[in-house]
């Protein structure tokens, strides 16, 4: 296909300051490179709703064939998505949800289950009673709400396990460190901290350590990103007791876009699997990710070789054409 004939897929990404989202972009690009009929364009909203709305509107104007959005927050982004749908652009939502059902498909893990799994982990590892601090993700983003809901619902049925305090975070550790520090100065150290992602969980550990409480407090996070400072490494280093894998869904989303472009009927809800990672399975997980990473690098290298060959072929055929004219 010539460049003009290719399908345009526009992705409005919430931000790319963290490794989880960088991983999402990477897996999307890799999957897109396997589908030569599509061109993927990513716009980074840098965590500003106004940017994200503007990006979606630009994609609508550009007439993209499929729009993908990873919303910053649910409510403010919904009208822009509705506009895209009204313009007849199939729209896939990934990770954080929007309000209502006016979209083509959703890709993401079940965040209520993630909350439930965190609670069940505490239930099966604590000896009867446990005091808990919960550190939440950004208000107005669906994973924060749903992780809390699943967590509380499960704990409600167990009176010995109590969420004593909730600290409101915004997904980044700087949002919770001074609040947690003040809290730990004034109350008894909790047995568990459940933080809605690994970055805040690491932040909580740093605070605990600064007060020599890191051995007393067990910390659970979410994401389980592979690589330096990612959740898997943090579990391996005994900084976190556990993390709950939250797959980015990048690859699945591009596959879904391709299915839509091929005129196939797709499922509206595409729920990704999660798993608890702790000292029992962390090595297996790390090995799996190592292998996967190696394969991805191989594919990327092969892709580079192919691109180079195409470029050489194009210059050669340009030369031949030129010689024919002369
Ligand atoms: C990445 C992130 C993850 C979290 C997800 C929730 O930007 O903060 O850490 O699991 O977003 O939407």
């Amino acid at each position: 296909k010539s460049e003009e004939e290719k399908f345009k897929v526009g992705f409005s990404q919430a931000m790319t300051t963290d490794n989880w989202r960088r991983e999402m972009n990477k897996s999307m690009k890799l999957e897109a490179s396997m589908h030569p009929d599509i061109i993927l364009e990513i716009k980074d909203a840098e965590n500003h709703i106004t940017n994200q709305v503007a990006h979606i509107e630009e994609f609508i104007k550009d007439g993209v064939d499929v729009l993908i959005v990873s919303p910053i927050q649910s409510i403010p982004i919904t009208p822009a998505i509705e506009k895209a749908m009204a313009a007849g652009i199939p729209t896939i939502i990934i990770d954080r949800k929007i309000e209502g059902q006016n979209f083509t498909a959703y890709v993401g893990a079940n965040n209520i289950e993630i909350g439930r799994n965190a609670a069940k982990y505490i239930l099966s590892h604590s000896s009867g009673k446990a005091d808990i601090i919960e550190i939440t993700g950004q208000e107005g983003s669906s994973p924060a709400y749903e992780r809390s809901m699943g967590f509380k619902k499960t704990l409600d049925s167990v009176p010995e396990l109590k969420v004593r305090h909730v600290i409101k975070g915004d997904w980044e550790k700087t949002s919770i460190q001074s609040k947690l520090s003040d809290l730990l100065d004034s109350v008894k150290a909790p047995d568990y901290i459940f933080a809605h992602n690994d970055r805040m969980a690491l932040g909580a550990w740093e605070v605990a350590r600064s007060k020599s409480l890191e051995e007393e407090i067990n910390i659970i996070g979410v994401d389980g990103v592979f690589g330096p400072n990612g959740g898997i490494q943090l579990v391996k280093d005994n900084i976190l007791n556990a993390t709950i894998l939250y797959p980015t869904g990048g690859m699945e989303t591009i596959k879904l876009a391709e299915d839509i472009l091929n005129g196939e009927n797709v499922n509206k809800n595409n729920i990704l699997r999660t798993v608890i990672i702790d000292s029992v399975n962390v090595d297996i997980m790390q090995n799996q990710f190592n292998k996967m990473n190696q394969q991805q690098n191989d594919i990327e290298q092969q892709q580079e070789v192919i691109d180079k060959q195409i470029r050489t072929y194009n210059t050669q055929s340009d030369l031949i054409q030129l010689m024919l004219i002369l």
Side-chain angles (χ1 to χ4, degrees):
K1 274 194 173 162
S2 71
E3 290 298 298
E4 295 79 53
E5 282 172 290
K6 287 188 180 181
F7 292 119
K8 279 198 262 179
V9 176
F11 173 38
S12 161
Q13 172 62 291
M15 73 212 87
T16 39
T17 37
D18 61 83
N19 281 342
W20 188 83
R21 283 185 195 274
R22 279 197 278 268
E23 196 48 54
M24 184 195 276
N25 287 5
K26 196 173 143 198
S27 57
M28 279 196 185
K29 284 184 201 154
L30 189 70
E31 186 58 34
S33 73
M34 316 250 210
H35 300 279
D37 58 335
I38 66 178
I39 302 175
L40 172 69
E41 190 189 343
I42 303 180
K43 291 184 198 259
D44 176 355
E46 294 172 349
N47 212 13
H48 292 298
I49 303 271
T50 44
N51 287 348
Q52 188 154 45
V53 171
H55 290 164
I56 295 171
E57 282 175 356
E58 282 161 25
F59 280 136
I60 299 174
K61 267 210 198 99
D62 278 2
V64 291
D65 298 286
V66 172
L67 173 68
I68 302 170
V69 181
S70 187
I72 300 169
Q73 277 173 312
S74 310
I75 295 173
I77 231 58
T78 303
I81 310 270
E82 285 172 348
K83 216 167 162 183
M85 290 294 285
I89 301 172
T91 303
I92 308 175
I93 309 297
I94 172 169
D95 173 31
R96 302 180 190 171
K97 295 178 177 167
I98 60 164
E99 288 289 297
Q101 294 295 313
N102 197 0
F103 54 88
T104 310
Y106 170 77
V107 177
N110 180 344
N111 280 299
I112 300 177
E113 186 186 321
I114 287 180
R116 252 192 258 131
N117 281 342
K120 282 187 197 157
Y121 187 86
I122 298 178
L123 193 58
S124 60
H125 286 80
S126 57
S127 45
K129 287 173 89 158
D131 287 342
I132 304 163
I133 292 178
E134 183 186 3
I135 298 177
T136 63
Q138 185 190 26
E139 214 166 10
S141 69
S142 62
Y145 174 73
E146 293 180 346
R147 286 172 196 176
S148 261
M149 189 161 91
F151 190 60
K152 292 218 182 78
K153 274 241 166 88
T154 308
L155 291 183
D156 274 351
S157 56
V158 194
E160 296 78 24
L161 304 183
K162 283 226 156 53
V163 179
R164 297 273 177 207
H165 305 276
V166 177
I167 294 178
K168 285 188 182 175
D170 71 357
W171 299 117
E172 305 311 323
K173 71 176 180 186
T174 46
S175 65
I176 59 105
Q177 283 188 306
S178 64
K179 290 184 214 165
L180 179 64
S181 174
D182 291 349
L183 187 64
L184 292 182
D185 285 342
S186 60
V187 300
K188 185 176 141 281
D191 304 293
Y192 280 90
I193 291 180
F194 170 44
H196 284 189
N197 70 5
D198 292 335
R199 301 195 298 286
M200 295 190 295
L202 173 60
W205 179 84
E206 287 168 358
V207 173
R209 188 180 150 94
S210 73
K211 300 178 191 298
S212 302
L213 290 172
E214 77 272 22
E215 297 294 329
E216 273 173 59
I217 306 176
N218 298 295
I219 306 177
I220 304 171
V222 179
D223 281 347
V225 172
F226 171 78
N229 261 327
I232 299 201
Q233 193 58 47
L234 297 178
V235 170
K236 194 142 169 109
D237 295 343
N238 273 325
I239 288 176
L240 302 186
N241 288 66
T243 180
I244 301 164
L245 181 72
Y246 187 56
T248 68
M251 181 189 75
E252 291 81 357
T253 301
I254 297 297
K255 283 190 172 156
L256 208 68
E258 182 71 22
D259 290 348
I260 293 172
L261 292 168
N262 288 332
E264 287 171 34
N265 277 333
V266 297
N267 287 335
K268 182 138 188 171
N269 285 304
N270 301 273
I271 305 305
L272 307 169
R273 289 181 57 187
T274 78
V275 62
I276 296 179
I277 303 168
D278 68 357
S279 59
V280 177
N281 61 355
V282 69
D283 287 327
I284 301 175
M285 293 301 290
Q286 205 166 36
N287 283 339
Q288 290 279 350
F289 277 111
N290 265 330
K291 273 191 206 145
M292 223 170 67
N293 222 31
Q294 190 55 49
Q295 279 170 355
Q296 286 195 352
N297 289 342
D298 288 351
I299 295 171
E300 272 164 22
Q301 272 176 10
Q302 284 167 6
Q303 207 75 45
E304 271 168 33
V305 173
I306 294 171
D307 285 350
K308 216 168 148 192
Q309 281 172 345
I310 293 176
R311 278 199 300 275
T312 317
Y313 169 82
N314 284 342
T315 19
Q316 280 174 351
S317 65
D318 283 354
L319 272 177
I320 292 171
Q321 296 246 322
L322 199 69
M323 277 157 68
L324 286 176
I325 295 170
L326 292 174

